[in-house]
């Protein structure tokens, strides 16, 4: 059975849930081989997790250069592994850093790239949103080794304990790989809520909220559901909520089980970041708002009436 390379998504060695999802997906059409790229000493934190989710092998490359330069070192190492291992496919998560790495790997290996897959069949046919997510198509790579960027929450992670073989990868980088140096890192403030891109439930607020302080309504509903909080660009541009919480074409892409849009019109650029959510609920006072064209459930009404009632009802049912 051919290997399927899975780029491990992690924060300082702590694997993100999407890594388990990619390993689970890889098992459906090959032998999952995790590729861990990180700073020296970080792999130790990921080892157990990768074994728990069925990695048959782990390629380990640790170097200060991997996190010290943008994209280049990771892409160079991964592309070299693709050449050596001739895998059936390469799977990476649809996050900002990994998207960049995926594109570089596809270019270096002269391979086809599939972007934003929400499903991948055993014969490597991907379901994918294109044109900013407004159209869903099925696609298959016909050249080289398929490099597939998969949205978080596309696969339910299943544990499959294994004892992976470990292979240390020598890090010998070209000058070209060190083209863009990281000069500073700003760690996102911790909110105590789930990570926006990985959350099972997301509650987002838009211009309809009218003011920064009204985001408290969205946060309360989110906390009742154990959800992450998102925002439209109108809300982040107005300074009502941090830009790191923006959902959409120029923000983050989310694909939760449940997406609740509060006071958001449903512009194409917002839709691009959330339309593959499994169930979409919209609260809007305008029955003609575009979001009702693609929402699964629509609540026409004033959010200042609807949201507190919704929150209270959920709290009551939880009790
Ligand atoms: P509006 O479109 O103003 O909608 C507000 C909604 O709230 C209305 O439908 C209104 O009926 C409703 N409302 C008002 N009061 C109430 C109330 N009391 N109760 C209930 N409902 C109420 N946008 C993004 O979100 N993400 C992006 O990443 C993004 N990227 C962009 C990139 C480009 C290049 C461009 C040009 C635009 C981008 N936009 C993005 C902006 C996008 O086009 C919209 O302007 C934006 O999404 C609108 O945000 P909104 O829905 O909150 O505001």
């Amino acid at each position: 059975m051919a290997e399927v390379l899975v780029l491990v998504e992690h924060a300082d060695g702590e694997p993100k849930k999407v890594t388990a999802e990619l390993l689970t997906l890889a098992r459906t059409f090959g032998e999952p081989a995790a590729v861990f790229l990180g700073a020296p000493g970080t792999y130790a934190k990921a080892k157990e997790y990768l074994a728990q989710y069925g990695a048959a092998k782990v390629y380990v490359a640790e170097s200060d250069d991997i996190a010290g330069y943008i994209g280049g070192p990771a892409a160079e190492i991964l592309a070299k592994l693709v050449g050596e291992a001739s895998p059936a496919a390469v799977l990476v998560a649809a996050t900002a850093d990994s998207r960049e790495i995926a594109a570089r790997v596809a270019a270096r290996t002269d391979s086809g790239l599939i972007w934003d897959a929400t499903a991948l069949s055993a014969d490597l046919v991907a379901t994918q949103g294109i044109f900013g997510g407004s159209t869903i198509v099925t696609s298959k790579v016909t050249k080289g080794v398929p490099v597939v960027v998969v949205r978080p929450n596309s696969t339910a992670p299943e544990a499959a304990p294994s004892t992976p073989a470990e292979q240390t990868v020598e890090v010998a980088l070209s000058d070209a790989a060190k083209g863009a140096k990281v000069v500073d890192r700003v760690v996102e403030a911790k909110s105590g809520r789930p990570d926006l891109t990985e959350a099972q439930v997301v509650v987002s607020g838009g211009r309809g909220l009218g003011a920064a302080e009204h985001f408290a309504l969205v946060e309360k509903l989110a906390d009742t559901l154990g959800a992450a909080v998102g925002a439209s660009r109108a809300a982040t541009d107005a300074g009502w909520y941090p830009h790191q919480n923006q959902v959409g074409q120029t923000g983050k892409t989310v694909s939760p089980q449940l997406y609740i849009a509060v006071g958001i019109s449903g512009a194409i650029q917002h839709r691009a970041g959330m339309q593959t959510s499994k169930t979409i609920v919209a609260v809007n006072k305008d029955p003609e708002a575009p979001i009702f064209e693609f929402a699964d459930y629509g609540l026409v009404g004033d959010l200042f009436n609807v949201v507190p009632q919704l929150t209270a009802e959920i709290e009551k049912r939880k009790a």
Side-chain angles (χ1 to χ4, degrees):
M1 207 190 259
E3 284 183 357
V4 179
L5 298 185
V6 170
L7 180 62
V8 176
E9 193 73 29
H10 65 94
D12 232 1
E14 303 289 348
K16 301 266 181 113
K17 182 167 82 59
V18 69
T19 298
E21 296 169 12
L22 297 183
L23 288 169
T24 305
L25 183 60
R27 285 205 299 277
T28 60
F29 56 91
E31 203 170 60
V35 179
F36 182 92
L37 309 176
T42 48
Y43 170 59
K45 295 186 226 167
K47 195 176 159 124
E48 209 175 298
Y49 189 91
L50 301 178
Q52 190 191 346
Y53 285 98
K57 189 177 198 178
V58 186
Y59 293 100
V60 184
E62 291 182 313
S63 161
D64 284 326
D65 284 342
I66 290 168
Y69 293 89
I70 300 169
E76 192 164 289
I77 297 165
L78 191 52
K80 190 161 167 268
L81 283 176
V82 170
E84 288 167 6
S86 301
V90 180
L91 304 184
V92 310
T95 60
D97 287 347
S98 294
R99 280 176 200 267
E100 167 147 358
I101 294 165
R104 288 173 184 245
V105 169
R108 278 172 175 269
T109 59
D110 204 15
S111 297
L113 172 70
I114 288 183
W115 202 251
D116 275 352
T118 50
L120 191 61
S121 68
D123 54 355
L124 294 175
V125 174
T127 305
Q128 174 198 19
I130 59 163
F131 301 137
S134 61
T135 306
I136 305 294
V137 295
T138 51
S139 319
K140 186 167 178 157
V141 167
T142 54
K143 191 176 182 210
V145 173
V147 180
V148 187
V149 176
V150 183
R151 282 195 175 184
N153 287 329
S154 300
T155 307
E158 281 171 27
S162 63
T163 313
E166 284 173 17
Q167 185 173 321
T168 304
V169 178
E170 192 202 340
V171 180
L173 298 168
S174 68
D175 287 347
K178 298 181 182 178
K181 192 173 169 46
V182 176
V183 290
D184 192 16
R185 279 182 193 279
V186 180
V187 179
E188 289 184 2
K190 288 254 179 276
S191 67
R193 299 190 179 92
D195 184 286
L196 183 56
T197 52
E198 298 210 322
Q200 293 293 312
V201 183
V202 174
V203 184
S204 288
R207 199 186 333 247
L209 284 162
E213 58 268 29
H214 296 152
F215 257 88
L217 284 173
V218 170
E219 290 184 330
K220 194 155 181 224
L221 176 57
D223 291 343
T224 311
L225 292 163
V229 174
S232 72
R233 180 158 162 185
T236 58
D237 279 354
W240 298 346
Y241 221 66
H243 277 284
Q244 71 208 35
N245 293 69
Q246 184 183 312
V247 171
Q249 188 183 316
T250 43
K252 289 186 173 157
T253 300
V254 300
S255 208
Q257 293 295 320
L258 174 62
Y259 187 88
I260 304 181
V262 177
I264 291 176
S265 61
I268 183 79
Q269 296 89 355
H270 187 78
R271 188 173 171 175
M274 47 65 78
Q275 80 158 14
T276 53
S277 305
K278 301 286 177 302
T279 302
I280 298 169
V281 176
V283 181
N284 198 303
K285 68 178 181 186
D286 175 7
E288 304 296 324
I291 198 155
F292 290 131
E293 287 166 22
F294 59 95
D296 298 286
Y297 297 95
L299 290 159
V300 179
D302 188 329
L303 68 91
F304 296 100
N305 289 329
V306 174
V307 175
Q309 285 185 57
L310 191 58
T311 307
E313 186 61 30
I314 295 165
E315 270 172 358
K316 200 165 86 190
R317 289 180 188 219
K318 273 167 61 182

